[in-house]
Amino acid sequence: MTIVDKIEKLKKEKNAVILAHYYVKPEVQEIADYIGDSYYLSKVAVGLKEQTIVFCGVEFMGESAKALNPQKTVLMPDLSADCPMAHMADPEIIQKMRDTYEDLAVVCYINSTAELKKYSDVCVTSANAVKIVKALPNKNIFFIPDRNLAHYIAGLVPEKNFVYNEGFCPTHERMQAEEVLEVKKEHPEAKVLSHPECRTEILEISDYIGSTSGIIRYATESEEKEFIICTEEGVSYKLCQNNPEKKFYFPNSVPTCPNMKKNSLEKILHVLETGENEVQITEELREASVKPLERMLELAK
Ligand code: 13P
Ligand code: SF4
């Protein structure tokens, strides 16, 4: 029996479902029941009929799935798969901003720990941030943790006053505009599609900016044939599957998230066999961190 057959068999026996982010390895995306961006995965996690969710992503995704579904078992193939940006703010800074600004909303990118969500008013993802920030009654927005996404959203919602935090995604931050321009020189017809976690200099030379699913949708619906993709290379699995006739190039450093890549078929099989790596969160933290997530799901409808 192959490892994939074993996973399929155990999934049925254990009443489990596999969710995967677009950044995980192709062989993991291939066996997933649901693949998507952070917003889609948080929506889909609510209302699944299966009792066990195997979440192939990073810690904040497993934590959010558990917070939204306390009665379910959420397993992660590798509990050390964590997003460094998720930790790049702290409750003291949030409190300081609350003391400094009147009429402030603390807007928390979903790429954040449950602890940070607890102190926030609403969560957003790159797919719904503009809509949600616009819908907030507050004038002042303290956006944590990602400064690149915050600057991008601020440009689209000029009626709000943004206060920035110094967080960033190491994988997207490493990409340089010069690298993108080099690829563009080789492929002048190619359109540049970027994730808003990229540096502002990259966003300024992009033809489209959006979440991972936004990038995939744009490339799939476009009449163009060549694209330079400025996000984690895992998206190439879906891009190539949807568009076998189109060409996709990445900046030469090929952005790779080491944490997303910790998910593997062997580890999925292991957690299905043993029930190990269950996401644990105290009821107090769950109740507090689920509020901004639920508000996001409500406002994004
Ligand atoms: P998306 O919400 O666009 O999938 O992005 C998640 C992420 O981790 C980006 O680095
Ligand atoms: Fe975090 Fe960046 Fe990895 Fe996304 S790509 S999970 S933001 S480190």
Side-chain angles (χ1 to χ4, degrees):
M1 217 195 256
T2 65
I3 187 160
V4 172
D5 293 337
K6 286 183 193 165
I7 290 171
E8 291 300 337
K9 184 166 174 279
L10 272 173
K11 235 173 51 178
K12 283 193 199 99
E13 283 171 21
K14 304 267 167 113
N15 191 21
V17 60
I18 300 178
L19 272 55
H21 189 266
Y22 286 127
Y23 292 164
V24 300
K25 295 172 180 167
E27 63 270 25
V28 174
Q29 293 193 47
E30 214 163 292
I31 57 129
D33 298 292
Y34 299 91
I35 319 170
D37 69 2
S38 316
Y39 177 45
Y40 171 79
L41 292 172
S42 62
K43 268 192 310 184
V44 110
V46 181
L48 289 168
K49 60 182 189 322
E50 291 83 359
Q51 176 50 34
T52 296
I53 299 172
V54 179
F55 211 122
C56 303
V58 288
E59 189 180 33
F60 75 83
M61 296 179 173
E63 251 177 14
S64 300
K66 181 67 187 177
L68 289 161
N69 302 280
Q71 72 294 349
K72 302 243 165 156
T73 304
V74 180
L75 305 176
M76 296 204 65
D78 189 325
L79 278 182
S80 76
D82 193 5
C83 169
M85 180 166 65
H87 301 265
M88 292 186 191
D90 60 63
E92 289 73 38
I93 295 175
I94 297 175
Q95 193 50 53
K96 195 173 147 215
M97 293 306 169
R98 288 200 190 278
D99 294 341
T100 309
Y101 293 90
E102 274 179 24
D103 193 24
L104 180 81
V106 178
V107 177
C108 180
Y109 190 22
I110 196 166
N111 296 39
S112 56
T113 59
E115 183 67 13
L116 285 177
K117 289 185 177 82
K118 172 176 161 180
Y119 295 100
S120 302
D121 297 307
V122 66
C123 279
V124 297
T125 76
S126 51
N128 59 33
V130 172
K131 184 172 182 184
I132 290 177
V133 170
K134 276 190 175 168
L136 293 173
N138 316 74
K139 172 79 181 158
N140 297 316
I141 306 291
F142 181 40
F143 195 104
I144 57 163
D146 188 10
R147 63 159 138 72
N148 293 337
L149 177 64
H151 280 278
Y152 171 65
I153 303 300
L156 297 175
V157 193
E159 65 273 24
K160 303 282 181 184
N161 174 45
F162 271 68
V163 184
Y164 302 98
N165 173 74
E166 267 309 304
F168 60 91
C169 159
T171 300
H172 286 80
E173 186 82 357
R174 217 167 286 130
M175 250 182 291
Q176 301 291 332
E178 293 73 36
E179 292 183 90
V180 181
L181 292 171
E182 268 168 39
V183 187
K184 185 89 182 162
K185 217 185 268 172
E186 285 165 38
H187 307 282
E189 299 299 316
K191 296 287 168 208
V192 180
L193 316 186
S194 301
H195 196 280
E197 285 175 20
C198 290
R199 292 165 178 272
T200 306
E201 307 87 82
I202 292 186
L203 300 184
E204 279 168 357
I205 55 168
S206 298
D207 298 291
Y208 171 80
I209 300 163
S211 72
T212 49
S213 59
I215 289 173
I216 293 164
R217 194 180 323 113
Y218 185 93
T220 305
E221 289 172 1
S222 171
E223 302 278 295
E224 304 288 338
K225 294 280 174 265
E226 293 183 278
F227 303 90
I228 300 166
I229 306 296
C230 300
T231 193
E232 214 272 356
E233 61 83 33
V235 294
S236 59
Y237 172 75
K238 206 32 120 200
L239 283 169
C240 296
Q241 193 183 51
N242 287 2
N243 306 283
E245 75 296 355
K246 296 184 184 175
K247 292 239 165 10
F248 300 102
Y249 312 107
F250 286 82
N252 290 338
S253 57
V254 190
T256 305
C257 175
N259 285 289
M260 286 284 188
K261 300 306 190 219
K262 287 181 181 172
N263 292 282
S264 69
L265 292 181
E266 290 74 18
K267 290 176 192 171
I268 294 171
L269 180 62
H270 181 76
V271 297
L272 280 170
E273 275 170 348
T274 62
E276 281 175 15
N277 291 3
E278 186 175 346
V279 175
Q280 307 278 5
I281 171 169
T282 64
E283 187 50 24
E284 185 264 333
L285 184 57
R286 191 198 74 77
E287 274 177 27
S289 66
V290 81
K291 283 188 194 142
L293 281 167
E294 285 176 341
R295 195 168 177 210
M296 170 186 84
L297 294 175
E298 191 52 41
L299 287 174
K301 263 183 199 162

